[in-house]
Amino acid sequence: MRKLTIFDKLVNEIDQALRTVHTLAPTTARKNPSVDITTEHDLSEDERKLSARLMRINHAGEVSAQGLYRGQALTAKREDIREQMEHSAMEENDHLNWCETRLDELDAHKSYLSPLWYMGSFSIGAVAGLVGDKWSLGFVKETEDQVVKHLDEHIVKISKKDTRSLAILNQMKIDEAHHADIAVEAGAAELPLPVRKFFMPLMSKVMTKTSARI
Ligand SMILES: [Fe+2]
Ligand SMILES: [Fe+2]
């Protein structure tokens, strides 16, 4: 196979970005955990709106995760790390599709700013990869830890009657914790305190507050 040039890689990444925004990126083809839910309850209008808001935030988070992993995979130095990032990106894309399906069921739209979330996260991921694999993995670990915290909050907030969204969120939580664990096993370094406590929570706040509405 011929070696990919930087131009080939760029075209490939533009293709991936478009696929992500249009929910066509490769997945692991796992079954959506909500399809086996047989006990469904009617949601009140307030409950439906709350679920829609939270699932839109989660969908935007998955678009960002996709961008982050693709950016990191592009600039990762070790081949095994690149492969790990690409596999995690496929699992994030399962999540992305599950969230989008649930948003449709809730008669709600996904964030109109998805291209922005993807591009922003892709840039951050690519820079993290350039800085070095151990920092890039540290970034994954910290991001996934924060995502698990968000998911925990959403699982508490969302109506217990919304069993379909809850099935998706619970499976996502298992996967995100696994992504954090494998990043540590692969040699993640602990990020500097200001990045963990200021920069990353700030980015996450901007995204969650905006995507809840737009
Ligand atoms: Fe995810
Ligand atoms: Fe993840």
Side-chain angles (χ1 to χ4, degrees):
M1 211 162 78
R2 87 184 161 92
K3 202 172 180 314
L4 294 182
T5 64
I6 187 73
F7 182 71
D8 293 329
K9 287 181 182 174
L10 202 66
V11 170
N12 186 31
E13 288 311 323
I14 292 169
D15 178 57
Q16 278 292 334
L18 291 171
R19 282 167 183 265
T20 297
V21 172
H22 298 289
T23 333
L24 291 167
T27 66
T28 69
R30 283 181 297 169
K31 192 160 78 169
N32 182 331
S34 72
V35 297
D36 289 331
I37 299 294
T38 48
T39 44
E40 266 203 83
H41 310 277
D42 286 336
L43 302 179
S44 70
E45 188 51 17
D46 283 349
E47 288 166 338
R48 186 195 67 80
K49 279 187 181 159
L50 174 65
S51 290
R53 210 168 65 231
L54 297 180
M55 293 312 277
R56 188 177 306 120
I57 293 172
N58 290 318
H59 181 274
E62 295 302 334
V63 170
S64 303
Q66 194 67 210
L68 204 57
Y69 277 114
R70 294 293 318 179
Q72 287 175 309
L74 181 72
T75 52
K77 289 166 189 69
R78 271 169 49 193
E79 194 55 35
D80 58 328
I81 291 179
R82 184 194 313 278
E83 282 169 13
Q84 184 177 311
M85 299 286 187
E86 284 176 351
H87 184 77
S88 293
M90 280 165 71
E91 291 188 345
E92 301 298 3
N93 210 42
D94 291 339
H95 302 168
L96 186 73
N97 291 358
W98 301 341
C99 288
E100 179 154 358
T101 302
R102 189 60 193 139
L103 280 171
D104 283 344
E105 291 169 356
L106 290 163
D107 207 14
H109 67 85
K110 52 189 180 182
S111 172
Y112 297 123
L113 301 177
S114 292
L116 187 70
W117 307 135
Y118 188 92
M119 282 191 300
S121 304
F122 183 88
S123 311
I124 293 172
V127 170
L130 282 175
V131 175
D133 287 337
K134 69 174 183 170
W135 298 109
S136 181
L137 289 164
F139 200 76
V140 168
K141 151 93 177 120
E142 192 57 33
T143 305
E144 297 288 9
D145 282 351
Q146 292 191 10
V147 174
V148 169
K149 260 189 232 158
H150 275 285
L151 287 170
D152 272 332
E153 286 167 19
H154 288 189
I155 288 166
V156 171
K157 261 191 210 167
I158 215 161
S159 165
K160 295 291 162 279
K161 282 156 68 185
D162 190 355
T163 44
R164 293 174 80 82
S165 297
L166 282 167
I168 293 171
L169 297 182
N170 281 313
Q171 183 57 50
M172 279 166 52
K173 191 180 141 184
I174 293 170
D175 294 343
E176 314 302 14
H178 177 65
H179 294 157
D181 288 345
I182 56 176
V184 172
E185 280 164 26
E190 191 174 38
L191 298 183
L193 202 64
V195 177
R196 278 187 288 131
K197 298 289 176 205
F198 177 72
F199 176 70
M200 294 179 70
L202 180 70
M203 295 291 297
S204 148
K205 205 170 212 159
V206 168
M207 203 199 71
T208 51
K209 294 274 178 224
T210 317
S211 61
R213 293 167 190 283
I214 308 171

